[in-house]
């Protein structure tokens, strides 16, 4: 537990911050107090990745996982805010050292204590697996030795069984030395991988040494796949259990019920004198320093709360203002899995347009110096998501021609803008295969140097797993991403400015992609990969990260 720094906020939502508990790839963790005096741990997503759709999706899954997994061996969800930056979740505060710190400070655990810890962790994992979730990153740093028993923490990369990892290509989930061979080789994650991690964690507890040695992650991972685990000096019965858990073949590993049975626990772990000594006295909670002079950051009410829910919160506008960001500091420890998600923040804000007769929202690109009076305007080359997209189109069930409506009004309606969405090879409603999307400005008049860039965003109904191109298995998540976007088109310079209201046609999925940090991150998926109501957003674009909606449509994919 460390003291708060000057750049830390005094409050997050209704919670008063008391101290820093730690940091990781996704964000900073604080000790905080609710208005009623309850101690909570608040994890705040790093400001570098608040605008990254996949990172936000991962954080939302962590909230959903912690909410679903309720066990005496896990910290329960208290509150969360996912509607606007700062994004955070609050869980019960669990006092006690991590297994990693306890072993570093006190040395390896006796065999009997290790068996008690193993049985408790196996019971906790069984509760997690009963919810259809695998932890995916069990290791000594993610086990807290609380007075009431070990607690599993950090479900940042937990996922429903069978789901692929949310990282860039080439990174596997988990931590080298604790990730199972099938995870490292084939990215196959299931309950057996958690059993492997449990065995590796027990090996560390029993020896005080990294289970597959130290050094470069690639070397550690190679040894985890090809070489035996380090069990020198471990009591034979415990060593046999660990060896079974870390079998190279996932099918050869015992189930959690067998692990518990082989531990042969005959008394409560809290009655173990060695374990009680490890948990130690509770560290005193620091007092609040009112002289810090920092203010609470705004946050939106959350539907994810399972306990105390703050009131009188500042609800964020659905337009795209510059978000409030929490400076969680530089130089935080970042693992290989999360390093791929650390993105710098960008310039957000509402687009500012020069209004004029016959050219609503025109962007001025006035010539300077000796430039010609009507210079060629350089278009923004792409569009990248800023804040969560909450525009959704829903089909009218009584319609026979594909009609429907959007839940939110356009941010900048343009009476001259026209659009069409149809099948690529006919004027029939679009529901499968390729689609044709038309855009134009009818009877618009532009001045010298003016432009009106429009991009189309096509948004699936559910969050898409980048590895499979389909929704995540289990209970699909509602899509808060912008989806797949087209290259912006200057409709003033595409025929309309000369008085001929010509159409620009785009083909889905051919002309649509997703972008991250200015680079193409992926191609659009076929609509058949995610049947349901898709949303089509038409965006007036000034800069890659500066845009507003001018119209919303949609179609139903079959």
């Amino acid at each position: 537990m460390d003291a708060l720094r000057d750049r830390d906020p005094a409050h997050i939502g209704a919670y008063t911050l008391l101290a820093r508990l730690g940091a990781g790839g996704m964000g900073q963790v604080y000790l905080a107090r609710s208005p009623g005096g309850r101690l909570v741990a608040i994890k705040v997503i790093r400001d570098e990745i608040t605008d990254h759709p996949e990172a936000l999706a991962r954080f939302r899954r962590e909230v959903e996982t912690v909410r679903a997994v309720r066990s005496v061996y896990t910290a329960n969800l208290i509150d969360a805010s996912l509607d606007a930056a700062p994004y955070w979740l609050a869980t019960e505060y669990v006092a006690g050292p991590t297994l990693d710190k306890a072993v570093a400070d006190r040395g390896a655990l006796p065999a009997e204590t290790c068996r008690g810890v193993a049985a408790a962790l196996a019971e906790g994992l069984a509760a997690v697996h009963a919810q259809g979730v695998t932890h995916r990153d069990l290791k000594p740093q993610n086990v807290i030795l609380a007075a009431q028993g070990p607690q599993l923490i950090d479900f940042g990369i937990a996922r429903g069984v069978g789901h692929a990892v949310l990282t860039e290509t080439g990174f596997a989930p988990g931590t080298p030395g604790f990730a199972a061979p099938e995870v490292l080789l084939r990215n196959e994650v299931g309950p057996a991988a958690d059993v492997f991690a449990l065995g590796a964690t027990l090996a560390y507890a029993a020896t005080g040494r990294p289970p597959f040695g130290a050094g470069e992650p690639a070397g550690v991972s190679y040894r985890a796949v090809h070489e035996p685990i380090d069990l020198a000096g471990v009591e034979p019965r415990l060593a046999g259990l660990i060896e079974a858990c870390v079998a190279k073949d996932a099918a050869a590993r015992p189930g959690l019920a067998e692990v518990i049975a082989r531990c042969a626990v005959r008394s409560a772990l809290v009655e173990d004198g060695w374990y009680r000594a490890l948990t130690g006295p509770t560290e005193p909670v620091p007092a609040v320093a009112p002289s810090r002079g920092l203010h609470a950051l705004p946050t939106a009410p959350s539907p994810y709360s399972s306990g105390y829910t703050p009131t009188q919160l500042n609800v964020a506008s659905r337009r795209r203002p510059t978000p409030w960001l929490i400076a969680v500091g530089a130089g935080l420890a970042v693992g290989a899995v999360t390093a791929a998600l650390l993105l710098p923040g960008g310039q957000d804000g509402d687009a500012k347009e020069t209004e004029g007769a016959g050219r609503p929202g025109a962007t001025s690109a006035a010539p300077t110096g000796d430039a010609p009076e009507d210079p060629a305007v350089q278009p923004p080359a792409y569009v990248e998501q800023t804040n969560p997209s909450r525009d959704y189109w829903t089909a009218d069930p009584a319609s026979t021609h594909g009609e429907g409506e959007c839940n939110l009004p356009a941010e900048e309606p343009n009476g001259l803008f026209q659009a069409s969405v149809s099948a690529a090879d006919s004027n029939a409603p679009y529901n499968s295969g390729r689609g044709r999307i038309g855009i134009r400005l009818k009877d618009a008049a532009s001045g010298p140097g003016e432009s009106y860039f429009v991009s189309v965003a096509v948004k699936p109904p559910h969050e898409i797993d980048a590895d499979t191109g389909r929704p995540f298995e289990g209970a699909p998540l509602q899509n808060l991403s912008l989806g797949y976007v087209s290259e912006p088109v200057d409709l003033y310079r595409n025929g309309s400015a000369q008085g001929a209201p010509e159409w620009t046609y785009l083909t889905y999925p051919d002309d649509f992609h997703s972008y991250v940090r200015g680079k193409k991150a992926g191609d659009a998926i076929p609509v058949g990969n995610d049947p349901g109501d898709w949303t089509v957003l038409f965006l007036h674009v000034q800069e890659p990260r500066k845009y507003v909606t001018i119209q919303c449509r949609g179609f139903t994919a079959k």
Side-chain angles (χ1 to χ4, degrees):
M1 186 182 300
D2 297 319
L4 293 172
R5 301 175 185 175
D6 288 341
R7 61 175 174 267
D8 291 326
H11 301 82
I12 295 177
Y15 300 90
T16 301
L17 299 192
L18 303 176
R20 286 177 160 226
L21 293 177
M26 281 290 284
Q28 179 70 46
V29 182
Y30 296 98
L31 175 65
R33 187 185 65 220
S34 76
R38 182 176 190 175
L39 291 179
V40 299
I42 296 184
K43 180 177 182 178
V44 185
I45 194 170
R46 291 168 62 98
D47 56 345
E48 293 98 325
I49 55 177
T50 54
D51 292 334
H52 192 291
E54 291 188 348
L56 291 180
R58 171 179 164 183
F59 192 65
R60 290 174 63 218
R61 279 197 298 277
E62 179 173 5
V63 172
E64 292 288 359
T65 301
V66 176
R67 182 176 68 163
V69 177
R70 303 187 67 83
S71 164
V72 294
Y73 298 109
T74 60
N76 292 325
L77 182 72
I78 301 299
D79 198 1
S81 179
L82 306 180
D83 287 337
Y87 303 96
W88 53 267
L89 66 85
T91 62
E92 295 174 313
Y93 170 60
V94 180
T98 64
L99 178 59
D100 178 64
K101 186 176 189 305
V103 171
D105 291 346
R106 307 290 291 272
L109 277 58
E112 197 60 31
T113 304
C114 280
R115 277 190 282 271
V117 171
L121 292 177
E123 196 169 31
L125 283 175
V128 172
H129 293 176
Q131 301 298 323
V133 173
T134 51
H135 188 285
R136 299 168 65 93
D137 198 21
L138 176 60
K139 57 186 176 182
Q141 295 93 325
N142 285 342
V143 175
I144 294 181
L145 302 182
Q148 67 271 31
Q151 302 278 302
L152 293 168
I153 63 169
D154 198 349
F155 289 81
I157 63 172
R159 187 76 65 82
V161 174
H163 287 171
V165 69
L166 178 62
T167 65
E168 291 184 1
T169 302
F171 291 95
T175 300
F178 299 91
E182 68 272 18
V183 174
L184 296 169
L185 294 174
R186 299 181 297 278
N187 207 6
E188 293 177 359
V189 179
D194 279 351
V195 173
F196 182 97
L198 173 62
T201 298
L202 292 177
Y204 173 82
T207 66
R209 301 185 297 270
F212 292 97
E216 291 295 324
V220 174
S221 295
Y222 177 87
R223 292 190 288 273
V225 173
H226 299 287
E227 298 180 5
I229 193 168
D230 175 11
L231 293 176
V234 177
E235 185 255 0
R237 187 160 66 92
L238 178 60
L241 173 60
I242 294 173
E243 286 177 336
C245 288
V246 298
K248 306 302 184 186
D249 181 3
R253 295 173 205 148
L256 293 170
E258 182 181 342
V259 171
I260 295 171
R262 291 179 64 169
C263 289
V265 171
R266 293 181 174 84
S267 61
L269 182 59
V270 295
E271 298 174 4
D272 183 307
W274 189 278
Y275 182 84
R276 288 200 308 271
L278 288 176
T279 60
T282 303
E283 189 173 356
V285 176
V288 179
S291 61
R292 291 174 64 230
L294 300 177
H295 302 286
L297 296 177
T299 181
S302 166
Y304 296 94
S305 302
S306 60
Y308 174 80
T309 304
T311 57
Q312 299 181 0
L313 299 180
N314 184 358
V315 180
S317 164
R318 74 169 293 269
R319 289 181 68 86
R320 297 174 174 87
T322 300
W324 288 82
L325 301 177
I326 291 183
V328 297
L332 302 181
V334 180
V337 174
T338 55
L341 297 177
L342 301 182
L343 304 176
Q347 297 293 324
D348 298 337
D350 291 341
K352 294 178 174 60
E353 296 84 15
T354 304
E355 303 270 343
R359 38 184 213 280
T363 301
S364 176
T368 58
D370 298 329
E373 188 167 300
D374 188 11
V377 178
Q378 296 299 317
Y382 61 94
V383 176
E384 187 172 329
Q385 178 167 348
T386 53
N387 288 338
S389 171
R390 301 187 182 280
D391 297 84
Y392 301 106
W393 179 87
T394 304
D396 181 354
S399 169
T400 58
H401 300 287
E403 288 89 354
E405 63 179 15
C406 289
N407 63 321
L408 296 173
E411 297 171 304
E412 178 196 89
N414 185 338
L416 302 179
F417 178 77
Q418 296 181 324
S420 66
V421 179
S422 65
D425 54 358
S426 69
N427 290 323
Y430 182 33
N431 53 42
S432 63
R434 282 178 163 74
R436 186 177 71 165
I437 301 172
I439 54 176
R440 72 169 178 174
L441 285 177
K442 181 173 170 40
D443 301 328
S446 63
E450 289 184 338
S451 60
Y452 192 89
F453 294 109
V454 171
S455 179
V456 181
V458 180
K459 174 179 171 178
H462 303 109
E463 291 281 3
I464 299 299
D465 186 332
D467 293 328
T468 65
R470 296 179 182 276
F472 294 105
E473 296 178 8
L477 297 171
Q478 189 177 40
N479 191 359
L480 290 177
S481 76
L482 194 59
Y484 306 100
V485 295
S486 67
E487 181 179 339
V489 176
D490 185 0
L491 294 188
Y492 277 159
R493 298 182 177 277
N494 208 41
S496 298
Q498 285 72 41
E502 297 180 3
W503 288 85
T504 295
Y505 289 103
L506 304 166
T507 300
Y508 186 88
D510 306 40
D511 298 328
F512 292 80
H513 311 278
S514 60
Y515 291 85
V516 174
R517 298 182 69 181
K519 297 181 179 179
K520 188 184 297 183
D523 297 328
I525 64 170
V527 296
N529 284 16
D530 189 15
D533 292 342
W534 287 54
T535 304
V536 181
L537 298 174
F538 300 90
L539 311 173
H540 176 202
V541 183
Q542 276 199 322
E543 299 172 8
R545 294 165 55 87
K546 195 172 184 180
Y547 56 85
V548 290
T549 59
I550 53 178
Q551 195 175 118
C552 174
R553 293 198 177 193
F555 59 90
T556 301
K558 296 182 179 179

